Amino acid sequence: MQVTIFTANCIGQAANCSYPNKVTVVTPEQLREAVKADHVCAEYKGSYRGIGNFIRSDVIVMDIDNDHSEEPAEWITAEKLEGIFPDMEYMLASSRHHLLPKEGKSARPRYHIYFPISEITDAEVYGNLKKALQKEYPFFDGNALDAARFIFGADCEEVLVHDGWMTIDEEIDVSQAAEEEDFDAEVKRMAEGYKMEADKIKELMGEAGKKQIMEDLAVRKAVDFVVSEAVEK
């Protein structure tokens, strides 16, 4: 197992967008050293971080801030992750706020988890994989799901490499996340048209209505694809 990350020449600089240093990580020691600097988990054109500059990635990084609960018994720990992902390949590093207070929340375990994946060269597909993963495991931070996410560097207290025989992209259905995104966009359009709250429209339509809309959207996308292919030919 190995992952490729790109580091900056600085630490703790949110405004920085330059990540020129390619690092291949295989061992816990390499991970500990690599994540000391601010870093990203994708290669970008000109080494300049941005969704439009996305070239490729072989790793998905997710945040675990444990802000989904105030009950310590419900917090995700390194030991619990081994039970949740027993057969999955991943690397884990504690974040800079590990066991420290953050944004009004008490001290608790906080991690970044790095999942090796088959190389992805499309920013939208990459983002959809992160969204699908967070939907399946809601303890991952839902505010860190785009293809240009960066991680603050940290001198990690805890790192590990968890060997397995599966990669996360073999388990997660990316198409489901894309379908849900299309559905949400359609509901938003309806809400604006009827001047209603999106959640109210979802409540009124129920599961049957949602299923019908998603089927209609699938047909619409299929027709659009056929038309675009015909135009190109």
Side-chain angles (χ1 to χ4, degrees):
M1 168 182 32
Q2 71 176 44
V3 301
T4 308
I5 68 174
F6 294 80
T7 65
N9 294 320
C10 58
I11 301 173
Q13 300 297 316
N16 171 65
C17 290
S18 178
Y19 295 84
N21 311 306
K22 181 178 179 180
V23 182
T24 299
V25 177
V26 177
T27 68
E29 293 76 21
Q30 290 171 333
L31 179 62
R32 186 190 304 275
E33 187 62 28
V35 300
K36 286 181 180 179
D38 294 354
H39 57 281
V40 293
C41 289
E43 181 180 4
Y44 301 97
K45 296 174 185 175
S47 300
Y48 194 88
R49 177 174 63 89
I51 293 175
N53 289 335
F54 184 93
I55 296 176
R56 66 176 64 85
S57 176
D58 63 8
V59 55
I60 290 283
V61 62
M62 304 295 285
D63 284 15
I64 303 172
D65 273 347
N66 277 315
D67 56 8
H68 62 284
S69 173
E70 295 304 309
E71 294 295 329
E74 297 178 1
W75 292 343
I76 301 299
T77 63
E79 292 75 20
K80 287 183 179 179
L81 285 169
E82 291 185 358
I84 296 170
F85 301 111
D87 303 318
M88 204 70 63
E89 293 185 338
Y90 65 83
M91 298 181 182
L92 188 72
S94 53
S95 75
R96 63 176 183 161
H97 289 108
H98 182 58
L99 302 180
L100 294 172
K102 178 184 178 184
E103 298 176 355
K105 299 285 187 178
S106 64
R108 59 196 66 191
R110 306 181 199 274
Y111 301 99
H112 296 124
I113 186 168
Y114 303 78
F115 292 102
I117 58 171
S118 298
E119 184 177 282
I120 292 177
T121 57
D122 185 297
E124 183 177 0
V125 172
Y126 186 80
N128 284 339
L129 177 55
K130 297 190 74 171
K131 291 171 186 174
L133 181 54
Q134 195 275 333
K135 183 177 178 62
E136 186 71 19
Y137 301 99
F139 57 79
F140 290 135
D141 185 356
N143 296 314
L145 303 178
D146 64 72
R149 168 71 173 161
F150 85 96
I151 304 295
F152 282 117
D155 194 356
C156 297
E157 299 176 11
E158 187 176 350
V159 297
L160 68 86
V161 173
H162 182 273
D163 290 317
W165 57 272
M166 288 183 64
T167 56
I168 199 69
D169 51 327
E170 293 175 319
E171 177 184 307
I172 299 299
D173 183 2
V174 179
S175 63
Q176 183 178 353
E179 290 168 2
E180 288 287 346
E181 196 169 72
D182 289 342
F183 171 72
D184 287 341
E186 183 69 10
V187 170
K188 181 180 179 181
R189 186 189 65 78
M190 293 169 64
E192 291 172 350
Y194 291 107
K195 301 190 184 312
M196 296 174 62
E197 293 292 330
D199 288 343
K200 185 62 177 179
I201 289 180
K202 289 181 180 180
E203 179 184 336
L204 290 172
M205 71 173 58
E207 285 301 316
K210 177 179 179 179
K211 181 180 178 181
Q212 183 61 58
I213 287 177
M214 292 186 77
E215 289 176 353
D216 291 345
L217 288 172
V219 171
R220 190 187 307 169
K221 288 182 75 173
V223 170
D224 289 345
F225 175 77
V226 171
V227 170
S228 66
E229 287 290 299
V231 169
E232 289 179 4
K233 292 179 179 179

